[in-house]
Amino acid sequence: MSIGLSRKRALAFSLPALLAITPFLGACFYIFRFSISAETGTIQGFSIRPYLDLMTPFFGRSVWLTVKLAFIATLIAMVLAVPLAFVLTSLRSPLARRCLTVTILLPLILNLLVQAYGWILLLGPSGVLNTTLRGLGIIDRPLFLLFNETGVLLGLVQTSLPLAVFPIVSSVRGLSQEHLEAASSLGASQWQTLRDITLPLLRPGLLGAASIVFAFNASAFAVPLLLGGRRVQMLGVAIRDMISPLFNWSGAAAAGMILIGITLFVLVFTSWLVRITSRNVRD
Amino acid sequence: MRVGLFPNEGGGSYRFVIMALAAIGVLISSLPVIIVTIMSFSASDNTGFPPQALSLRWYQEVIALFTQADGSSAQSVVDATLTSLLVAVIVMSISTLVCIPLAYALTRGDRRIRTGMELLFTLPLVFPLVILGIAFLLIAESLRLDIGIWRIVIPHIALVLPFVLRNCLGAMSGIHPEIEEAAISLGASPLRAIWDVVIPLMKAGILAGLIFALIISFNEFTITFFMYTIDVSTLPIWMYSRTVSSLDPSTLALSVFIIFADIVLIVLVDKLIAGRASLF
């Protein structure tokens, strides 16, 4: 005999959770419906005008900026995440492992305002970095690292780093020890092992992590709002501005659909890429 | 011999590069928090670094903020904190209560359904928060609902479901059906077997999910930024409205309390799942 879960009971067990996620699905549908509304303030009729109205140089720049910053931040996060994952998996002491885990995970969870305060204190015109550099006589005028793309980039890397590190850690744990031993006993240097064995084996995990980091960064809102100021109009902030001063609800919904489209495209494209490349490896 | 990805001795340039990159990663992750903590102990009014003298005056100020009933501000920090806590507790209870039976059904049920459901419950994780915030705001505005605190609770639940479900599924995966069969063959009803045998075994995962939901909801900013009203506002929103023009050291002291609470809770989660499951 096995614990056969009858269909009815399985449904009864799933129902509360499905109810809990219904508002989310409703919200997804609502935003889609609003984006094809003929009116900017209410849902009425069907029209693709909200999308056509977005075809302006301003919005195009915003899309380009979003994709560019998200891409660069993802690249940096991945370059930092792989070594961090290596170190995290090779730490022997549980205490050291725990400290490193908390340090990396904290930025994802901690109130984004607190982190923004930290960056402002560090990089602001009278912040730690500028005061130190001026004290040492290296610079005369303060460097402007905040309220421009540099500040946003730093914030994005920081908040998305955990999303890169932890999936890579589980890929690294699943790495077969034999391959590494074989490479090292055949005289491969560590760089050669990394290039020819480790990274190719980790590739599906790396691509998966990168796509999630990219999606997270492209849809960032608090970081560009707090560290970018008005000048860095990533999509998240641009969408907010359509609502808050302009009350262009359908336009905001359409811009939101475009943002979702970008992130979904990247997620689907990456999973396709993983499938294709892993098939090549098998052949 | 175990060949590590990170050699413990020798290794020349490889070891150096890996170490340097990891160190940069740790610095980027931790510097803001460290600076906030240091500056909160500064004795001066401005936020110049390094602090000329150390004091606890900003902490006293925070405590004063909480203890003095201050009627002047429309939204006092006490109200915001209580709302934040209340929202977080409701969110954590509901999301955990719905995820435990779902995790059970998915683990014991059809494999194909499980894949689809897992995908469905991962969606909120990759869905842009701004759009979610706007969508919920639009719905609340157009329905003209006066649902008080639930304005914030309902979106937060959607947000934490992926994390809670992941933890509950992780907890279920180690529990074999044989244990339940044993309970049933000893005369327990199937529901009784779940309640008395499975749930106690899931305890660590359930607790981890509870804490995860609590910290995510308590720290959430983006969706709440769209959903808050004058009557229902949370601590992150209060901090934002206070510091939108300038940074005040007492907010830093308040931040340190939040940092401390978050670290304690994350360590607890990490201990509970003890490297068995991945965090997300």
Side-chain angles (χ1 to χ4, degrees), chain A residues 38-220:
Chain A
E39 301 280 324
T40 57
T42 51
I43 294 184
Q44 204 144 59
F46 292 92
S47 154
I48 53 163
R49 266 223 19 230
Y51 289 94
L52 294 179
D53 285 347
L54 287 177
M55 300 299 153
T56 59
F58 176 77
F59 188 74
R61 266 201 306 276
S62 181
V63 171
W64 167 239
L65 181 74
T66 306
V67 172
K68 184 181 78 176
L69 286 182
F71 183 76
I72 301 175
T74 306
L75 218 58
I76 300 177
M78 293 306 287
V79 168
L80 297 176
V82 172
L84 275 174
F86 287 179
V87 172
L88 198 60
T89 44
S90 54
L91 282 178
R92 297 268 164 74
S93 127
L95 181 70
R97 194 184 53 76
R98 185 155 292 156
C99 286
L100 192 57
T101 306
V102 172
T103 311
I104 298 168
L105 187 60
L106 193 62
L108 182 70
I109 285 176
L110 179 67
N111 187 335
L112 285 164
L113 281 160
V114 175
Q115 304 181 54
Y117 299 156
W119 287 118
I120 292 168
L121 292 173
L122 263 173
L123 305 176
S126 58
V128 178
L129 188 74
N130 274 316
T131 327
T132 319
L133 288 183
R134 256 192 303 187
L136 294 172
I138 297 172
I139 52 168
D140 303 325
R141 268 179 291 167
L143 298 170
F144 288 101
L145 297 165
L146 271 188
F147 306 114
N148 57 24
E149 293 180 15
T150 322
V152 174
L153 212 52
L154 269 173
L156 289 180
V157 171
Q158 187 209 9
T159 47
S160 64
L161 197 57
L163 285 175
V165 173
F166 291 104
I168 298 177
V169 164
S170 28
S171 308
V172 170
R173 288 221 177 95
L175 217 55
S176 97
Q177 197 62 40
E178 285 88 1
H179 283 95
L180 300 177
E181 277 166 26
S184 117
S185 66
L186 289 171
S189 78
Q190 272 157 334
W191 284 114
Q192 276 170 327
T193 314
L194 180 75
R195 195 191 62 211
D196 296 337
I197 312 285
T198 318
L199 288 184
L201 282 175
L202 287 178
R203 191 163 51 201
L206 293 179
L207 282 172
S211 67
I212 288 181
V213 171
F214 181 88
F216 179 83
N217 283 334
S219 40

Side-chain angles (χ1 to χ4, degrees), chain A residues 1 3, chain B residues 179-191 193:
Chain A
M1 188 200 88
I3 307 278
Chain B
I179 306 174
E180 269 171 86
E181 282 162 24
I184 291 169
S185 70
L186 290 171
S189 71
L191 282 180

Side-chain angles (χ1 to χ4, degrees), chain B:
Chain B
M1 185 194 94
R2 196 189 139 79
V3 185
L5 289 162
F6 178 65
N8 283 316
E9 67 283 318
S13 66
Y14 176 80
R15 186 185 150 87
F16 177 77
V17 170
I18 295 279
M19 266 303 240
L21 287 175
I24 294 173
V26 169
L27 274 184
I28 289 187
S29 297
S30 60
L31 265 182
V33 166
I34 293 171
I35 291 291
V36 166
T37 312
I38 295 174
M39 294 308 299
S40 72
F41 290 104
S42 162
S44 54
D45 284 321
N46 58 21
T47 47
F49 190 89
Q52 304 301 320
L54 299 178
S55 83
L56 290 174
R57 60 182 278 213
W58 302 114
Y59 286 86
Q60 288 162 357
E61 199 137 311
V62 168
I63 291 164
L65 264 179
F66 274 91
T67 47
Q68 284 162 11
D70 176 10
S72 61
S73 60
Q75 173 68 50
S76 78
V77 64
V78 181
D79 282 347
T81 311
L82 288 179
T83 310
S84 269
L85 284 174
L86 187 61
V87 167
V89 169
I90 297 177
V91 167
M92 114 185 159
S93 319
I94 293 182
S95 57
T96 311
L97 279 179
V98 303
C99 279
I100 295 170
L102 180 65
Y104 181 85
L106 292 184
T107 315
R108 295 283 186 264
D110 198 325
R111 271 233 154 266
R112 277 163 302 164
I113 295 179
R114 172 168 177 169
T115 318
M117 289 286 261
E118 269 190 70
L119 200 66
L120 173 69
F121 280 87
T122 317
L123 270 184
L125 202 63
V126 290
F127 202 84
L129 289 181
V130 202
I131 299 167
L132 214 51
I134 291 172
F136 278 114
L137 178 62
L138 279 171
I139 293 178
E141 293 290 307
S142 63
L143 296 180
R144 302 206 177 284
L145 287 179
D146 187 20
I147 45 176
I149 197 167
W150 295 89
R151 278 175 79 87
I152 299 175
V153 171
I154 293 172
H156 277 198
I157 290 177
L159 204 62
V160 301
L161 279 177
F163 294 95
V164 179
L165 183 64
R166 207 64 66 93
N167 275 303
C168 288
L169 280 174
M172 267 306 289
S173 69
I175 304 171
H176 296 290
E178 287 85 4
I179 306 174
E180 269 171 86
E181 282 162 24
I184 291 169
S185 70
L186 290 171
S189 71
L191 282 180
R192 176 91 197 263
I194 294 175
W195 183 256
D196 279 348
V197 178
V198 179
I199 303 272
L201 287 172
M202 285 174 78
K203 209 170 69 191
I206 292 173
L207 272 174
L210 274 173
I211 301 171
F212 236 115
L214 180 80
I215 33 183
I216 290 175
S217 169
F218 190 74
N219 286 287
E220 210 286 324
F221 174 73
T222 308
I223 292 183
T224 320
F225 182 76
F226 289 96
M227 296 304 286
Y228 80 95
T229 62
I230 295 171
D231 300 319
V232 185
S233 172
T234 63
L235 192 58
I237 301 298
W238 182 86
M239 290 166 75
Y240 177 74
S241 61
R242 193 181 159 91
T243 53
V244 79
S245 50
S246 72
L247 199 52
D248 161 10
S250 67
T251 319
L252 298 182
L254 183 57
S255 303
V256 173
F257 284 117
I258 297 174
I259 293 171
F260 182 72
D262 281 353
I263 290 180
V264 169
L265 290 173
I266 295 176
V267 169
L268 258 176
V269 174
D270 190 56
K271 234 187 182 117
L272 281 168
I273 57 177
R276 279 184 296 113
S278 56
L279 288 161
F280 36 79

